[in-house]
Amino acid sequence: MEHLPLFISIEQRPCLVVGGGAVAARKARLLLSRGARLTVVAPELCSELEQQLPEFEWQQAPFAEAHLDGQFLVVTATDSAEVNAQVYQLANRRGILVNKADDSKRSAVIFPSVVERFPLQVALSTGGKAPWLARLLRARIDALLPSHWGALAEVAGRLRQRVKNTLGSSDERRRFWARAQDDNTLNAFLKHGNLAAAERWLQQEVQQPSKGEVILVGAGPGDPDLLTVKALNELQKAEVVLYDQLVSDEILALIRPEAERISVGKKAGNHSVPQDQINQLLVDHALTGKRVVRLKGGDPFMFGRGAEELQTLVEAGIRYQVVPGITAAAGATAYAGIPLTHRDHAQSAVFITGHCKKDGEEPDWASLASGRQTLVIYMGLMRSAHIQQRLLEHGLSAATPVALIERGTTAQQKVVRGQLNALSELATRVESPALMVIGSVASLADSLAWFNTGADNLEAPLERAG
């Protein structure tokens, strides 16, 4: 790293801008906004700088070394490479902080891109190598950062010592602020600028005993970029995370490093942790006052037993939230180029699971075998032969297109396609987790596939029916 990230106060410090053009005006505006005692040296000023007079002192002259006397920070932004180099060399020799606009190699300090919610500031820099990338990241962070977080930081600063005195451990304080940041009442006060009410609310809450909470989070189908913003926020605040086998390593890497991680991964026919034990783990950790994230692949309410886990929390009197995720039926099919509906192919989509309770009733195969719909089957690999047989018996054409999507949306995505009469054979060519898609829309992957296309996306030789 060529530069050390620092935040430096320049309030009432003497600063100098050399140059009178548009770049100099931009730097002057920034320095003035931070309270600098600014001098601008230039024979002429652009209209923007003229409009800022008399906020700064204007030395109407060419640059001379004497202009550096007593300066804390110097910015050189002239059209002359010779003058810019002279300013840099003289300021550097005197030990004055110097910035040469658009030239990081000749700058002791550089100005980062900044996202601001006063007093909250987020600074981004690429060391002058790719300013466009810093601007892109700034725009993304600006869109994600709630507008009232500056007010939250202001109120938190007022109460920081009181919270520290009341809550002895850093874990208790972090838990308190995480709970406060989520509270609808507090956020309403902050959004309306009622800082006094927000402060009173926090003073009352800090006296309350710490309450545990469970957040049921959908991790999506695998691609970490498909996480919702709220899901990512919860991973960064969690103290304990119970996660399933389907959650990718890339998503696990986003969990707060200090959080305790507990794998409760399950596969069909091989439950490493029984469901009742998972339920009890959620209760036990929440009762200690911790913020617990239950991280499940896809969407927690789509064949994921999320509701069963919440029922346990309700019985135990534990607070909870639910953060939906993109389910595999939507994510994996989109990445395979298979629309769930299409007016020329399917007017509806039906989601079912191929993995039922041992005493579970059979689905309505006659209804599932009806035409002009898309059938999406979760966890169906082990029962592929049974699914194939029952659909054929109830009249679905043997030539119906099918697709099996293994590890959809990830770099390991593999798509195998063929016809219904070859479904059981196709299932031997993929591994769990895999999604089964049956219907005319599967044929559209020929023209619509866009992600990870290549040797791993295979179409089986079609065994024609009849």
Side-chain angles (χ1 to χ4, degrees):
M1 293 289 292
E2 298 178 10
H3 296 91
L4 174 67
L6 289 174
F7 286 94
I8 299 177
S9 173
I10 61 169
E11 187 172 6
Q12 292 303 307
R13 292 183 183 272
C15 297
L16 177 70
V17 171
V18 181
V23 175
R26 188 171 68 246
K27 301 295 186 181
R29 185 171 62 250
L30 177 62
L31 294 173
L32 288 170
S33 71
R34 266 51 179 185
R37 288 194 289 111
L38 183 64
T39 301
V40 175
V41 173
E44 297 180 349
L45 298 180
C46 68
S47 60
E48 184 177 351
L49 276 171
E50 286 181 344
Q51 292 171 8
Q52 294 183 68
L53 285 170
E55 296 180 50
F56 60 87
E57 179 186 351
W58 178 24
Q59 295 286 330
Q60 190 175 8
F63 170 76
E65 184 175 359
H67 290 126
L68 298 176
D69 292 347
Q71 299 297 335
F72 176 75
L73 170 67
V74 176
V75 177
T76 177
T78 76
D79 293 331
S80 169
E82 182 179 348
V83 172
N84 290 336
Q86 180 188 18
V87 174
Y88 170 76
Q89 291 168 1
L90 293 174
N92 213 32
R93 189 180 303 162
R94 291 185 178 211
I96 300 172
L97 296 176
V98 59
N99 169 265
K100 181 181 179 302
D102 299 324
D103 188 352
S104 61
K105 294 295 184 182
R106 290 181 174 82
S107 296
V109 295
I110 57 178
F111 291 98
S113 291
V114 176
V115 179
E116 190 168 55
R117 305 283 189 271
F118 186 81
L120 176 64
Q121 295 184 83
V122 180
L124 299 161
S125 173
T126 61
K129 293 179 172 56
W132 62 270
L133 181 57
R135 288 193 294 269
L136 177 64
L137 289 172
R138 179 185 63 189
R140 291 192 178 186
I141 293 174
D142 195 34
L144 295 176
L145 203 60
S147 60
H148 64 279
W149 272 19
L152 176 61
E154 182 71 31
V155 174
R158 298 177 189 176
L159 296 179
R160 182 180 180 187
Q161 191 59 48
R162 177 174 296 188
V163 172
K164 188 174 182 179
N165 293 340
T166 305
L167 304 176
S169 73
S170 60
D171 284 341
E172 288 179 308
R173 293 192 293 272
R174 181 171 55 248
R175 198 175 300 147
F176 168 74
W177 287 117
R179 187 174 80 246
Q181 180 256 308
D182 276 343
D183 190 88
N184 292 330
T185 301
L186 176 63
N187 285 326
F189 290 146
L190 295 172
K191 288 175 182 178
H192 290 89
N194 194 342
L195 302 193
E199 188 170 343
R200 287 194 299 270
W201 185 92
L202 287 168
Q203 290 172 349
Q204 294 171 356
E205 282 296 303
V206 76
Q207 303 297 332
Q208 302 298 320
S210 180
K211 300 175 183 178
E213 186 173 12
V214 174
I215 300 90
L216 185 60
V217 176
D223 183 349
D225 286 343
L226 295 180
L227 275 176
T228 65
V229 174
K230 186 170 179 60
L232 180 59
N233 287 339
E234 292 300 340
L235 293 182
Q236 294 293 313
K237 293 186 292 186
E239 294 177 279
V240 181
V241 179
L242 281 71
Y243 64 93
D244 282 347
Q245 180 261 344
L246 294 178
V247 179
S248 67
D249 291 339
E250 292 82 1
I251 291 175
L252 293 177
L254 300 174
I255 298 172
R256 191 171 69 90
E258 297 83 1
E260 179 183 357
R261 303 184 187 187
I262 303 174
S263 173
V264 291
K266 297 180 290 183
K267 291 184 179 180
N270 180 24
H271 287 205
S272 58
V273 180
Q275 185 63 51
D276 59 350
Q277 188 174 337
I278 295 174
N279 296 348
Q280 192 60 49
L281 284 169
L282 293 173
V283 171
D284 290 345
H285 283 287
L287 287 177
T288 66
K290 294 181 179 178
R291 191 177 187 89
V292 182
V293 164
R294 175 68 172 104
L295 188 60
K296 303 174 76 69
D299 180 87
F301 280 0
M302 185 65 74
F303 305 125
R305 297 194 180 181
E308 297 177 35
E309 294 173 2
L310 293 189
Q311 287 172 326
T312 300
L313 299 177
V314 170
E315 294 171 359
I318 293 171
R319 299 189 310 175
Y320 61 86
Q321 299 180 46
V322 180
V323 181
I326 294 177
T327 186
T333 55
Y335 273 51
I338 301 173
L340 291 174
T341 62
H342 188 289
R343 63 179 180 175
D344 295 329
H345 296 266
Q347 280 66 55
S348 63
V350 180
F351 303 163
I352 67 169
T353 174
H355 176 61
C356 303
K357 293 182 178 180
K358 293 181 180 180
D359 58 350
E361 296 182 1
E362 282 280 301
D364 183 355
W365 291 109
S367 175
L368 296 177
S370 62
R372 300 191 67 77
Q373 70 178 2
T374 303
L375 185 59
V376 182
I377 304 176
Y378 290 71
M379 299 171 285
L381 288 185
M382 294 178 63
R383 290 168 54 87
S384 59
H386 180 72
I387 293 169
Q388 174 184 328
Q389 177 187 353
R390 300 297 283 164
L391 289 174
L392 290 174
E393 287 176 351
H394 285 79
L396 194 58
S397 170
T400 301
V402 300
L404 291 98
I405 309 169
E406 175 186 325
R407 298 189 179 277
T409 78
T410 72
Q412 295 76 39
Q413 175 174 296
K414 177 180 178 181
V415 181
V416 175
R417 294 188 292 110
Q419 295 181 165
L420 177 59
N421 58 1
L423 179 60
S424 58
E425 186 276 326
L426 296 175
T428 65
R429 299 168 58 182
V430 296
E431 297 180 356
S432 181
L435 192 73
M436 190 178 295
V437 184
I438 301 174
S440 178
V441 292
S443 65
L444 296 177
D446 287 330
S447 57
L448 300 182
W450 60 273
F451 175 76
N452 196 23
T453 55
D456 284 340
N457 293 278
L458 309 173
E459 181 171 12
L462 298 183
E463 181 181 332
R464 295 297 176 189

